């Protein structure tokens, strides 16, 4: 009987090793929780393109926009844990548990973090026709026009949304949030004048800033960006301690075999450490990250704890 159990254990270990060696043996779906054209979509697609080369199977990006990526998160949480349906997630995963009264998934228990690969700050953007040209002028203008300033975001629960709520509290201004189904439609709304300003991620906004179709007043990181060296940080511009960023990472359903998760992690980290890929991230205003799944898990828990008091203090609600 002992020999039989030993044989079963050996067989199980052999099967696990075989699954890692043969994975992936067919195309992999990578789900993005926002509409095409936004930061999550851009970053997800460039990583998927490199993973296709690295893993030897096509990684197909699918956009499932809705409810600040809750639609996508629920889909992943309920998908087979075989490594063939993955989540190209961003920072809303750490926010939504505090923002939404009920979720049909849990951001920690229902996912296996495979690889955090980039972190990027946001930009405070206005339409060029708006009079303010600095953050101090912007705050003064908002105070002179209480309740008349609308800002767009990629959706309730995004760091864009919460950055706006932080600004409202810290600057003492009356502004109204208008959520959209992704960064691209949010920026389109600003370009067309539907809203007065937005706080958006760099990958999606940079082209419009460089072509002067949008005006960037400040960056939300602790230090200036090499891409926009003349652009002050929010703290430098007059809002002390204002700092927010978004992140991009790859997750699998919780029960995905550890060997598959580690294979994905190894592939992601190898890609991120490639100088050409890191340069590409830098051109989009993002900092590369190459860490373990355990690091990503702790990072996600820290994000949940960081955003919870912001949601509470701002009184932010899903819209």
């Amino acid at each position: 009987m002992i020999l039989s159990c030993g044989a079963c254990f050996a067989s199980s270990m052999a099967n696990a090793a075989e699954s890692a060696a043969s994975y992936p043996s067919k195309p992999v779906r990578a789900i993005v929780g926002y509409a095409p054209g936004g930061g999550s979509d851009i970053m997800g697609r460039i990583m998927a393109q490199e993973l296709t080369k690295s893993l030897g199977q096509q990684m197909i990006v699918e956009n499932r926009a809705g409810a600040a990526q809750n639609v996508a998160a629920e889909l992943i949480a309920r998908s087979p844990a075989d490594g063939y349906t993955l989540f190209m997630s961003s920072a809303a995963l750490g926010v939504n548990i505090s923002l939404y009264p009920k979720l049909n998934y849990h951001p920690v228990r229902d996912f296996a973090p495979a690889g955090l690969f980039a972190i990027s700050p946001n930009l405070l953007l206005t339409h060029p026709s708006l009079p303010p040209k600095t953050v101090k002028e912007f705050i003064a203008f908002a105070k002179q026009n209480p309740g008349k300033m609308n800002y767009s975001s990629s959706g309730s629960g995004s760091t864009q949304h919460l950055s706006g709520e932080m600004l409202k509290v810290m600057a003492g201004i009356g502004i109204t949030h208008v959520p959209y189904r992704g960064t691209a439609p949010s920026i389109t709304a600003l370009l067309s004048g539907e809203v007065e300003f937005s706080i958006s991620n760099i990958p999606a906004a940079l082209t419009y800033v460089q072509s002067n179709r949008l005006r960037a007043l400040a960056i939300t990181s602790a230090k200036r960006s090499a891409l926009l060296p003349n652009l002050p940080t929010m703290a430098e511009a007059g809002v002390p301690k204002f700092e927010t960023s978004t992140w991009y990472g790859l997750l699998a359903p919780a029960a995905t075999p550890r060997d598959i998760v580690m294979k994905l992690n190894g592939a992601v980290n190898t890609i991120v450490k490639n100088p050409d890929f890191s340069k590409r991230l830098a051109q989009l205003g993002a900092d590369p990250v190459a860490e373990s799944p355990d690091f990503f898990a702790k990072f996600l828990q820290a994000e949940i704890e960081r955003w919870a008091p912001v949601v509470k203090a701002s009184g932010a609600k899903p819209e």
Side-chain angles (χ1 to χ4, degrees):
M1 186 68 174
I2 294 175
L3 288 174
S4 176
C5 289
C8 289
F9 177 76
S11 175
S12 175
M13 291 296 288
N15 289 338
E18 184 181 357
S19 72
S22 61
Y23 173 84
S25 59
K26 62 182 180 180
V28 179
R29 299 165 68 209
I31 309 299
V32 172
Y34 293 101
S40 295
D41 182 64
I42 292 169
M43 301 298 277
R45 287 181 185 278
I46 65 172
M47 176 52 75
Q49 183 180 36
E50 295 303 315
L51 284 171
T52 293
K53 300 175 189 175
S54 175
L55 297 174
Q57 287 287 344
Q58 184 72 32
M59 185 160 285
I60 303 166
V61 176
E62 294 184 17
N63 297 86
R64 294 294 184 96
Q69 75 175 16
N70 282 336
V71 171
E74 185 176 345
L75 185 156
I76 301 298
R78 296 182 177 183
S79 293
D82 56 8
Y84 289 97
T85 305
L86 304 174
F87 191 12
M88 286 289 188
S89 182
S90 60
L93 190 63
V95 176
N96 289 342
I97 192 170
S98 299
L99 184 67
Y100 286 81
K102 183 180 179 181
L103 294 176
N104 292 321
Y105 67 90
H106 190 281
V108 174
R109 293 194 299 268
D110 289 337
F111 301 100
L116 177 69
F117 62 87
I119 295 177
S120 175
N122 291 318
L123 299 174
L124 173 57
L125 303 166
T126 64
H127 191 277
S129 64
L130 202 71
K133 294 184 179 180
T134 68
V135 173
K136 288 183 178 179
E137 290 176 0
F138 174 87
I139 292 171
F141 185 82
K143 287 182 176 179
Q144 292 164 7
N145 297 274
K148 296 181 181 179
M149 295 280 281
N150 300 317
Y151 76 97
S152 64
S153 82
S154 59
S156 298
S158 64
T159 60
Q160 299 172 30
H161 172 204
L162 270 296
S163 293
E165 296 303 303
M166 280 181 66
L167 182 60
K168 178 166 70 174
V169 172
M170 295 176 78
I173 55 178
I175 54 179
T176 302
H177 176 228
V178 183
Y180 289 81
R181 291 172 66 88
T183 301
S186 169
I187 288 180
T188 298
L190 180 57
L191 288 165
S192 67
E194 287 180 26
V195 295
E196 283 67 40
F197 74 102
S198 185
I199 300 179
S200 183
N201 56 60
I202 295 179
L206 186 61
T207 299
Y208 300 106
V209 173
Q210 292 175 330
S211 63
N212 297 316
R213 294 182 65 190
L214 293 176
R215 178 184 292 142
L217 302 186
I219 191 168
T220 66
S221 52
K223 60 181 181 179
R224 296 192 182 199
S225 168
L227 281 178
L228 301 163
N230 296 322
L231 188 67
T233 66
M234 288 290 287
E236 289 175 331
V239 189
K241 298 182 180 180
F242 189 105
E243 183 182 346
T244 66
S245 61
T246 191
W247 53 262
Y248 306 96
L250 183 70
L251 302 98
T256 302
R258 181 71 174 179
D259 58 332
I260 290 178
V261 171
M262 293 307 298
K263 187 166 187 175
L264 289 167
N265 178 255
V268 168
N269 287 352
T270 298
I271 290 165
V272 170
K273 291 175 183 177
N274 183 296
D276 290 338
F277 187 82
S278 293
K279 182 179 179 181
R280 193 172 181 187
L281 289 184
Q283 290 170 342
L284 293 169
D287 295 322
V289 182
E291 294 285 356
S292 68
D294 291 341
F295 175 92
F296 191 4
K298 291 175 182 177
F299 176 89
L300 179 56
Q301 184 60 50
E303 281 287 281
I304 292 170
E305 294 169 4
R306 180 164 82 96
W307 286 111
V310 176
V311 173
K312 184 177 181 180
S314 68
K317 303 291 182 184
E319 299 168 59

